[in-house]
Amino acid sequence: MKRILVIIDNLQQYEKIQSLIHRKNYTNLIFDFYHSNVPTAIWEHADFKNQNKILDVNQKTEWILENFDMVVSVHCYQFFPAKLVKGIRCINIHPGYNPVNRGWYPQVFAIIKDLQIGATIHEMDEKLDNGPIISRKFVKKFAWDTSLTLYNRVLDTEMELLEKNFDSIFNGTYSTEKPEIGGNFFSKRDFKDLLEIDMDQSDTYRNMINRIRALTHGGYKNLYFTDPDSGKKVYVNLSLIPENEKEKN
């Protein structure tokens, strides 16, 4: 019997993974789900609400090593310590195409910097979103994508890769490839530096539109400028409607 620890901070993927596990119906695998201490929508799910499912991987490294055979990270907001990734097989499901989109909010930087985007499943090492690649796939990016529409297609591709590789991942028969040298890494600080608009800055329409759509993610308040009279932040979102298509944003 294998015990699998899944640390997940994305509600959409949690429900899809649960459905996949149910379809696979492996009797020799026990999945135990936890989340980080950063509040997200998953906290309100019936499986987690009031269940004391917060897990700090740094504080609980020894407990994890003693009680589990594998760790799976799904959009987890934590950096795994070296002792953990060296002591147990840790798999990461990442919403970017490694090594092109390592780090935070890959779809945002894929739009702004005109980079390829996709999804990756990989073994974890001591660097963030790094390590031997189990499976990866590009996702097509359109001129009318916002952060949200592109992100949702990446999530679908993550699940496609997980379903395709589920058996080999959990029975340990998969093969890996080394990521190419180079690539890109984007930090949370890089993201935050994009959020405030300098209203006196000049730029091309292409760059301006790309920045606005890259930071348009449903109801999230990301991009803003400051009203000089009131001092209030004014948040900016963009609606993009391709010809002959209904509004999707």
Side-chain angles (χ1 to χ4, degrees):
M1 191 72 67
K2 285 186 178 179
R3 290 197 66 191
I4 314 298
L5 170 63
V6 183
I7 307 176
I8 184 166
D9 291 311
N10 184 288
L11 179 60
Q12 291 170 261
Q13 298 306 70
Y14 172 70
E15 293 177 339
K16 293 175 185 177
I17 289 172
Q18 285 284 38
S19 176
L20 176 57
I21 290 172
H22 180 73
R23 294 198 307 273
K24 289 290 184 178
N25 193 30
Y26 274 82
T27 57
N28 65 327
L29 298 177
I30 298 175
F31 291 87
D32 203 351
F33 288 83
Y34 285 80
H35 57 68
S36 303
N37 64 356
V38 180
T40 63
I42 203 168
W43 287 39
E44 296 304 312
H45 192 282
D47 293 348
F48 294 93
K49 193 170 185 178
N50 302 320
Q51 298 299 314
N52 191 26
K53 284 289 187 173
I54 297 174
L55 181 63
D56 186 317
V57 296
N58 288 278
Q59 294 182 3
K60 293 291 188 177
T61 296
E62 294 295 340
W63 177 78
I64 295 170
L65 293 175
E66 291 171 3
N67 289 278
F68 294 94
D69 300 291
M70 182 193 301
V71 181
V72 179
S73 166
V74 188
H75 296 236
C76 176
Y77 290 143
Q78 301 181 65
F79 183 74
F80 283 29
K83 186 172 184 178
L84 182 57
V85 297
K86 288 181 177 180
I88 192 173
R89 188 155 47 110
C90 296
I91 304 295
N92 185 37
I93 301 174
H94 175 60
Y97 190 93
N98 288 358
V100 178
N101 315 113
R102 293 175 54 232
W104 290 82
Y105 310 114
Q107 78 284 354
V108 170
F109 295 97
I111 293 173
I112 289 177
K113 296 185 177 293
D114 194 22
L115 299 171
Q116 291 177 302
I117 183 69
T120 304
I121 300 177
H122 67 96
E123 290 184 344
M124 299 171 71
D125 62 16
E126 297 175 63
K127 296 181 180 179
L128 186 63
D129 297 329
N130 196 64
I133 293 168
I134 298 170
S135 187
R136 59 184 175 176
K137 183 179 179 180
F138 286 117
V139 171
K140 190 167 179 59
K141 182 179 58 173
F142 299 104
W144 53 87
D145 268 320
T146 63
S147 168
L148 181 59
T149 60
L150 182 53
Y151 180 69
N152 284 337
R153 288 204 304 282
V154 171
L155 294 188
D156 289 341
T157 303
E158 284 183 348
M159 293 309 304
E160 176 188 334
L161 294 179
L162 182 58
E163 183 159 13
K164 179 181 177 181
N165 295 278
F166 190 96
D167 297 342
S168 64
I169 287 173
F170 294 110
N171 64 29
T173 60
Y174 62 83
S175 58
T176 63
E177 60 178 314
K178 290 183 179 180
E180 296 83 355
I181 296 174
N184 305 280
F185 177 81
F186 301 105
S187 67
K188 192 181 291 188
R189 179 75 262 172
D190 294 326
F191 175 76
K192 289 182 178 179
D193 287 343
L194 295 170
L195 300 185
E196 184 172 10
I197 299 172
D198 179 353
M199 297 296 282
D200 295 319
Q201 181 182 359
S202 299
D203 209 335
T204 64
Y205 277 115
R206 181 186 305 277
N207 288 341
M208 287 188 290
I209 288 175
N210 282 345
R211 183 177 175 188
I212 299 171
R213 69 190 182 97
L215 293 166
T216 296
H217 198 96
Y220 280 85
K221 296 178 179 179
N222 291 325
L223 189 66
Y224 70 92
F225 64 88
T226 303
D227 174 43
D229 296 325
S230 66
K232 292 182 179 180
K233 292 180 180 179
V234 181
Y235 292 96
V236 180
N237 283 298
L238 187 63
S239 177
L240 297 163
I241 309 171
E243 186 177 14
N244 299 325
E245 289 195 23
K246 295 181 179 180
E247 184 174 2
K248 295 181 179 180
N249 300 325

